[in-house]
């Protein structure tokens, strides 16, 4: 049996913005909860409002649509923006740093196939 996973954040996708594909093609995903204004919804993956139960840290695992990605770097604003807006930018690039404080980086793998009803979770192993 694997170690206990602690859920830090869990939500369900309600909408995939019409322009989100532009970011996907750059190995990026921008997430917002469903309180996001209309002009941000077009670029984002929108999910139900959820509570961040514990700060996200490098070494945690991001699960999106059944795919798991090790989190390598968490920008200084990621936990704040997740709490306030369910927002962060996720880079699927394998880097251990990012220029913008609202960015989280994860291991470089194919992006998940995100659709309405996909789950987004952040867990601590």
């Amino acid at each position: 049996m694997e170690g206990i996973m602690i859920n830090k954040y869990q939500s369900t996708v309600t909408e995939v913005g019409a322009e989100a594909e532009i970011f996907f093609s750059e190995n990026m995903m921008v997430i917002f909860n469903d309180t996001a204004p209309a002009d941000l919804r077009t670029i984002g993956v929108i999910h139900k409002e959820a509570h961040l139960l514990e700060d996200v840290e490098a070494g945690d695992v991001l699960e999106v649509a059944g795919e798991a990605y090790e989190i390598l770097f968490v920008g200084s604003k990621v936990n704040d923006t997740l709490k306030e807006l369910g927002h962060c930018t996720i880079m699927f690039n394998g880097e251990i740093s990012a220029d913008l404080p609202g960015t989280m980086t994860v291991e470089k793998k194919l992006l998940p196939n995100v659709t309405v009803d996909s789950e987004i979770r952040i867990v601590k192993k």
Side-chain angles (χ1 to χ4, degrees):
M1 187 171 118
E2 281 190 29
I4 304 292
M5 296 275 216
I6 297 168
N7 255 354
K8 292 186 171 189
Y9 196 76
Q10 182 164 4
S11 189
T12 304
V13 174
T14 56
E15 181 183 334
V16 178
E19 296 169 33
E21 189 65 44
I22 296 165
F23 289 90
F24 297 164
S25 67
E26 298 289 330
N27 291 326
M28 295 169 61
M29 184 185 311
V30 181
I31 64 171
F32 291 98
N33 69 27
D34 49 20
T35 66
D39 58 333
L40 295 177
R41 295 174 95 91
T42 61
I43 64 164
V45 173
I46 309 302
H47 58 86
K48 291 179 184 166
E49 197 168 352
H51 295 287
L52 181 63
L53 303 177
E54 211 176 287
D55 279 357
V56 180
E57 302 167 319
D60 290 346
V61 175
L62 169 71
E63 295 177 0
V64 181
E67 298 289 333
Y69 303 86
E70 182 181 352
I71 297 171
L72 303 175
F73 172 81
V74 179
S76 61
K77 292 282 185 207
V78 167
N79 286 300
D80 293 340
T81 58
L82 272 174
K83 283 177 192 150
E84 293 165 23
L85 305 164
H87 165 64
C88 76
T89 300
I90 303 162
M91 302 279 297
F92 295 79
N93 62 7
E95 299 289 326
I96 54 168
S97 66
D99 294 338
L100 299 172
T103 299
M104 166 194 306
T105 67
V106 301
E107 62 186 305
K108 187 172 186 167
K109 287 176 25 182
L110 286 177
L111 268 68
N113 182 23
V114 182
T115 58
V116 170
D117 293 331
S118 290
E119 289 285 317
I120 297 175
R121 289 197 325 159
I122 298 172
V123 295
K124 179 179 185 167
K125 285 207 267 190

